[in-house]
Amino acid sequence: MTKSTGGLFILINIKSQNATKKKDNSLKENSCQEGGDEMIVYITTCSMVKKGRGYPITDYSWDYKAIPELLRTRKMVMETMKSGLEKPVRGPDFGGGAGEGLYLRAFKRYGQGDFMSGLESSGADLENWVNNNQLFFISALYGLVHSKEPIQNYDLELSNEISEEWKKSNVVTKALQYYLNQLWNHQIKIDCIVDCCCNIKYSNLIDWPKFSRYGIRHVVALGDFQPRQTRWASGYLAGEDPQKILELVNDEQKKYQTANAVIKLSKELPK
């Protein structure tokens, strides 16, 4: 795994974006508007089925100094996990020093989930897509996880009790603000956040009005079928040209059809 120090994982993506910009003076593959430094940010849920095992971390460093509440809440939630469940060790991802944990980057750990399965089915090269887009997962254990963050395997559902712990600290919102601030500091503007959770319990862990104050639009993937199918279709959509996605953002009556579902992007959270 590549070593990254400071600023967590966003800076890896910014470096890739800047390289693309120098090549063709635009950010067509990862911007909302052709020729501009505006991006679409995607948020989805973790997955019930996860890829197991992983690799020890020997050349990677974490930096959570700006969001210490994230580690505190992760640690607290981990300590409430019942025995018998797949439970991680207290490594640096929980503010500890245990070195025997096995890690995979989040997009690989959750690779069998609905969103990532849909994205892969779209024909997108997953490594390249993750390097050139901003994707976050909401997890019962980890809270907010950047797609490139190395995480351990675990087994935990977002119960009402755990949900209340995350809401109490509001740290999922704070962590997202921290990541987006890094983008703004590198002159990368965010046009919109596409909420592909398709699960109100996960979506409600974020205080969405905070982002509208900064002029960032928030849209939600809604479908005519089951949430899992909608989540899969939103992943498939993410593999499309950003201009096609922006058309749906601008017109919430416009629909997008896949073999599995028909979806649209709405400005209103489902009840």
Side-chain angles (χ1 to χ4, degrees):
M1 288 188 176
T2 305
K3 185 176 182 180
S4 170
T5 58
L8 291 174
F9 319 100
I10 291 287
L11 298 184
I12 301 172
N13 288 2
I14 290 174
K15 181 178 178 182
S16 174
Q17 294 157 9
N18 288 341
T20 304
K21 185 177 180 182
K22 289 176 183 176
K23 182 177 180 181
D24 63 5
N25 295 318
S26 71
L27 290 170
K28 295 180 181 180
E29 70 271 33
N30 56 9
S31 70
C32 277
Q33 296 181 356
E34 190 169 328
D37 289 335
E38 296 188 341
M39 295 190 65
I40 302 173
V41 173
Y42 301 90
I43 294 185
T44 189
T45 64
C46 60
S47 59
M48 184 178 297
V49 179
K50 302 172 184 69
K51 187 173 182 180
R53 299 193 63 76
Y55 305 93
I57 295 291
T58 57
D59 60 351
Y60 204 100
S61 63
W62 278 257
D63 179 7
Y64 293 106
K65 292 177 183 176
I67 40 175
E69 301 103 317
L70 182 62
L71 291 186
R72 285 199 292 267
T73 310
R74 285 180 178 181
K75 178 175 176 288
M76 182 175 59
V77 171
M78 182 179 70
E79 290 174 347
T80 67
M81 291 178 69
K82 297 177 181 178
S83 59
L85 296 176
E86 180 76 30
K87 190 173 182 177
V89 301
R90 194 183 167 203
D93 43 335
F94 294 94
E100 64 269 22
L102 299 177
Y103 293 85
L104 289 174
R105 293 189 186 272
F107 81 94
K108 292 186 176 180
R109 182 71 74 193
Y110 301 138
Q112 298 176 65
D114 302 319
F115 182 91
M116 293 305 301
S117 295
L119 179 60
E120 185 173 26
S121 295
S122 75
D125 180 293
L126 297 185
E127 291 272 0
N128 184 62
W129 190 94
V130 166
N131 282 335
N132 288 284
N133 289 274
Q134 297 298 335
L135 169 64
F136 299 89
F137 299 95
I138 298 179
S139 156
L141 178 60
Y142 279 94
L144 191 74
V145 184
H146 190 272
S147 57
K148 299 181 80 170
E149 179 179 355
I151 60 173
Q152 301 178 61
N153 195 15
Y154 65 95
D155 182 11
L156 186 67
E157 292 186 18
L158 185 63
S159 65
N160 290 334
E161 181 181 359
I162 292 173
S163 179
E164 286 306 312
E165 288 298 336
W166 284 111
K167 286 181 181 179
K168 190 187 305 180
S169 65
N170 200 30
V171 72
V172 177
T173 301
K174 292 176 184 176
L176 183 57
Q177 284 181 300
Y178 171 66
Y179 282 113
L180 299 188
N181 275 327
Q182 289 189 71
L183 292 173
W184 291 326
N185 289 339
H186 288 77
Q187 287 74 54
I188 304 293
K189 297 178 181 178
I190 300 95
D191 181 289
C192 51
I193 301 174
V194 181
D195 178 353
C196 307
C197 291
C198 308
N199 186 319
I200 194 65
K201 186 184 290 188
Y202 284 81
S203 293
N204 277 345
L205 294 186
I206 294 178
D207 182 3
W208 293 109
K210 279 188 176 293
F211 299 99
S212 62
R213 296 173 200 152
Y214 301 112
I216 300 175
R217 295 183 288 175
H218 168 229
V219 293
V220 183
L222 299 179
D224 299 333
F225 298 92
Q226 294 298 315
R228 290 197 61 185
Q229 294 169 299
T230 302
R231 208 157 36 236
W232 185 96
S234 65
Y236 195 99
L237 173 63
E240 293 275 15
D241 187 306
Q243 292 301 314
K244 180 174 285 191
I245 301 169
L246 189 58
E247 288 175 8
L248 292 167
V249 173
N250 291 333
D251 181 3
E252 60 181 307
Q253 299 306 314
K254 190 178 181 66
K255 294 187 177 182
Y256 178 78
Q257 184 166 357
T258 71
N260 287 3
V262 178
I263 65 171
K264 64 180 182 178
L265 300 181
S266 171
K267 296 178 179 64
E268 298 294 329
L269 278 172
K271 304 298 182 184

